[in-house]
């Protein structure tokens, strides 16, 4: 079997907040009529540049056409040579490699008649506990709206939440107070996610202030790649510390410096399922726990993470992939399934990712390119449709 062509379709799907996220849906075609699908998830992130999709297609054709899709190591090596790691969280090259790698696994699974989880080593979990994100407060008047999000999602079965914190600490504190007054122990705050906005000393001061409320762990409490800061923070606070993995060198430095307790691993940030599996294995060797992170993917990307998570023996903390619940719609026939705050692992009976595109939805949400138009920095940070 040989790869014969690649199709890249840009889609813009609105979130419930009104913010429109742009993704590239990947289709890999073969000479035997089997097609694999993948997702280059959420290009609507800083920095504000994006690839030219026509040029990207030409580059990927040179890398992929004529290759055997089962040559995963070879193809991923060539992808990495052309889209190298850059020690940056939202490196667009990682998004590109992720979408292609997802599609390769989907294609290989379909050809063999097995699930991606089986290709990755077999099922260990039947479901994955997930949390719903509460986006960052910039103003005190946003608190009640976020409490309403908790009410709504709690009624739908979500009982664990992740708070993006650090922009307005007074509002963060007011939110936590309101949630625990209303819900008590029925609701859990998985983490304060500082998203590298604060230096480690300021993050430690914020954690101390908010520690009157039960919080399971702290995420990204230092500037990006500040490994010394992460280590200092970890020794200063009692909470477990989590950080995303966005390159093999960055993960190596965190292991070497004993800077974290938990690795936040998401294929989109590390460049695909192949690279994510390596990061999971490195964490296991270092005796570190893992959780699944997210950039809030659509169902294709989330299904890939569900397959990966179902195979992980060191998935010890509540994970983040609830992207399909944040969007008003999707581009697949059947979205991934959540029940009582759990992401259901795809059945072992599915072939590949077990996801089928809805061509009507693909046409409905298709957009010409990845251009930014008049989106502002605050919209990018807060994932909202407007500014204040």
């Amino acid at each position: 079997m040989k790869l014969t062509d690649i199709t890249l379709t840009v889609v813009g799907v609105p979130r419930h907040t009104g913010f429109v996220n742009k993704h590239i849906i990947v289709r890999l075609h073969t000479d035997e009529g089997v097609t694999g699908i993948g997702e280059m998830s959420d290009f609507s992130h800083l920095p504000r540049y994006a690839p030219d999709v026509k040029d990207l297609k030409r580059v990927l054709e040179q890398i992929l056409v004529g290759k055997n899709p089962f040559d995963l190591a070879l193809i991923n090596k060539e992808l990495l040579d052309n889209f190298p790691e850059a020690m940056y969280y939202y490196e667009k090259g990682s998004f590109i490699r992720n979408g292609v790698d997802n599609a390769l696994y989907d294609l290989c699974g379909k050809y063999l008649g097995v699930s991606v989880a089986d290709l990755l080593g077999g099922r260990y979990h039947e479901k994955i506990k997930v949390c719903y994100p509460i986006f960052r407060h910039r103003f005190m008047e946003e608190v009640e709206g976020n409490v309403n999000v908790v009410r709504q999602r709690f009624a739908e079965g979500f009982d664990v939440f992740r708070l993006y914190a650090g922009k307005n600490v007074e509002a963060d504190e007011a939110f936590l107070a309101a949630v625990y007054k209303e819900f008590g122990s029925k609701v859990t705050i998985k983490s304060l996610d500082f998203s590298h906005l604060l230096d480690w000393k300021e993050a430690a001061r914020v954690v101390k202030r908010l520690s009157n409320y039960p919080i399971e762990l702290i995420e990204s409490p230092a500037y990006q790649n500040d490994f010394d800061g992460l280590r200092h923070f970890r020794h200063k606070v009692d909470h477990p510390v989590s950080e995303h993995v966005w390159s093999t060198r960055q993960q190596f430095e965190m292991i070497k410096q004993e800077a974290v307790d938990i690795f936040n691993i998401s294929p989109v940030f590390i460049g695909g399922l192949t690279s994510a599996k390596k990061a999971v294995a490195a964490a296991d060797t270092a005796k570190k726990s893992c959780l699944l992170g997210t950039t809030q993917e659509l169902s294709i990307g989330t299904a890939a993470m569900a397959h990966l998570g179902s195979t992980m023996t060191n998935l010890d903390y509540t994970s983040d992939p609830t992207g399909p619940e944040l969007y008003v719609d999707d581009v697949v026939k059947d979205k991934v399934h959540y029940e009582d705050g759990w992401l259901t692992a795809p059945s072992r009976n599915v072939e590949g990712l077990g996801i089928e595109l809805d061509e009507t939805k693909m046409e409905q949400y298709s957009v010409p390119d990845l251009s930014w138009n008049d989106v502002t920095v605050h919209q990018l940070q807060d994932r909202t449709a407007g500014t204040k």
Side-chain angles (χ1 to χ4, degrees), residues 46-117:
L46 291 169
R48 288 174 61 170
Y49 69 86
D52 178 282
V53 180
K54 291 182 180 179
D55 183 64
L56 178 60
K57 173 179 166 61
R58 287 192 291 267
V59 171
L60 290 175
E61 284 173 345
Q62 294 175 25
I63 297 170
L64 297 170
V65 171
K67 296 285 199 313
N68 183 331
F70 284 94
D71 288 337
L72 290 164
L74 170 65
I75 294 173
N76 271 277
K77 175 64 167 59
E78 292 195 24
L79 288 170
L80 191 59
D81 288 342
N82 284 272
F83 305 98
E85 293 181 341
M87 292 285 283
Y88 182 66
Y89 189 16
Y90 294 117
E91 166 53 37
K92 305 298 171 69
S94 297
F95 295 13
I96 292 166
R97 289 186 284 118
N98 174 62
V100 174
D101 199 37
N102 285 355
L104 288 169
Y105 273 93
D106 182 54
L107 174 54
C108 293
K110 287 174 177 173
Y111 186 81
L112 295 175
V114 301
S115 73
V116 167

Side-chain angles (χ1 to χ4, degrees), residues 34-53:
V34 184
T35 300
I37 62 172
E39 179 183 310
M40 299 178 186
S41 310
D42 196 3
F43 278 93
S44 304
H45 269 298
L46 291 169
R48 288 174 61 170
Y49 69 86
D52 178 282
V53 180

Side-chain angles (χ1 to χ4, degrees), residues 23 49 105 119 122 135 175 202 327:
H23 318 260
Y49 69 86
Y105 273 93
L119 291 178
F135 291 102
F175 168 80
E202 181 60 25
Y327 294 97

Side-chain angles (χ1 to χ4, degrees), residues 147-356:
V147 175
N148 280 331
V149 172
V150 174
R151 292 188 187 111
Q152 175 188 346
R153 293 300 177 173
F154 181 76
E156 296 170 359
F158 290 96
D159 58 356
V160 183
F161 296 86
R162 171 168 57 109
L163 176 61
Y164 286 93
K167 273 284 188 181
N168 186 322
V169 181
E170 289 75 17
D172 294 338
E173 189 170 32
F175 168 80
L176 292 170
V179 166
Y180 280 109
K181 180 179 179 181
E182 181 170 341
F183 294 96
S185 61
K186 292 183 291 185
V187 157
T188 299
I189 301 298
K190 185 206 78 171
S191 62
L192 300 178
D193 187 343
F194 290 105
S195 303
H196 318 107
L197 293 178
L198 305 179
D199 66 47
W200 74 268
K201 292 181 180 178
E202 181 60 25
R205 284 191 286 269
V206 174
V207 170
K208 183 177 180 180
R209 175 172 175 173
L210 300 181
S211 289
N212 291 331
Y213 303 97
I215 297 160
E216 290 186 343
L217 59 97
I218 310 298
E219 295 188 306
S220 304
Y223 293 144
Q224 289 185 40
N225 300 319
D226 179 8
F227 308 115
D228 287 336
L230 270 178
R231 185 184 69 251
H232 289 313
F233 180 91
R234 183 179 179 228
H235 287 287
K236 191 171 184 64
V237 304
D238 294 328
H239 298 80
V241 176
S242 169
E243 182 57 279
H244 302 76
V245 178
W246 52 75
S247 80
T248 51
R249 175 57 187 270
Q250 175 237 9
Q251 187 180 27
F252 168 77
E253 291 293 339
M254 289 190 289
I255 291 172
K256 183 175 72 172
Q257 299 203 34
E258 283 288 332
V260 299
D261 304 285
I262 307 156
F263 285 118
N264 182 318
I265 295 174
S266 180
V268 69
F269 294 129
I270 192 67
L273 290 167
T274 297
S275 295
K277 192 70 175 175
K278 293 178 181 178
V280 170
D284 199 31
T285 299
K287 305 302 181 185
K288 301 293 183 182
S289 295
C290 292
L291 62 86
L292 283 176
T294 186
T295 185
Q296 310 306 351
E297 295 81 352
L298 297 171
S299 280
I300 300 170
T302 305
M305 287 191 290
H307 281 279
L308 172 67
S310 74
T311 71
M312 293 168 60
T313 59
N314 55 348
L315 186 64
D316 300 323
Y317 287 85
T318 299
S319 292
D320 300 335
T322 51
E325 295 294 300
L326 273 65
Y327 294 97
V328 301
D329 206 349
D330 213 309
V331 294
V332 300
K333 291 186 176 180
D334 295 299
K335 293 168 58 176
V336 295
H337 181 63
Y338 297 89
E339 185 174 355
D340 296 329
W342 295 81
L343 170 59
T344 304
S347 166
R348 291 195 77 157
N349 296 324
V350 305
E351 297 181 357
L353 292 173
I355 295 289
E356 185 178 355

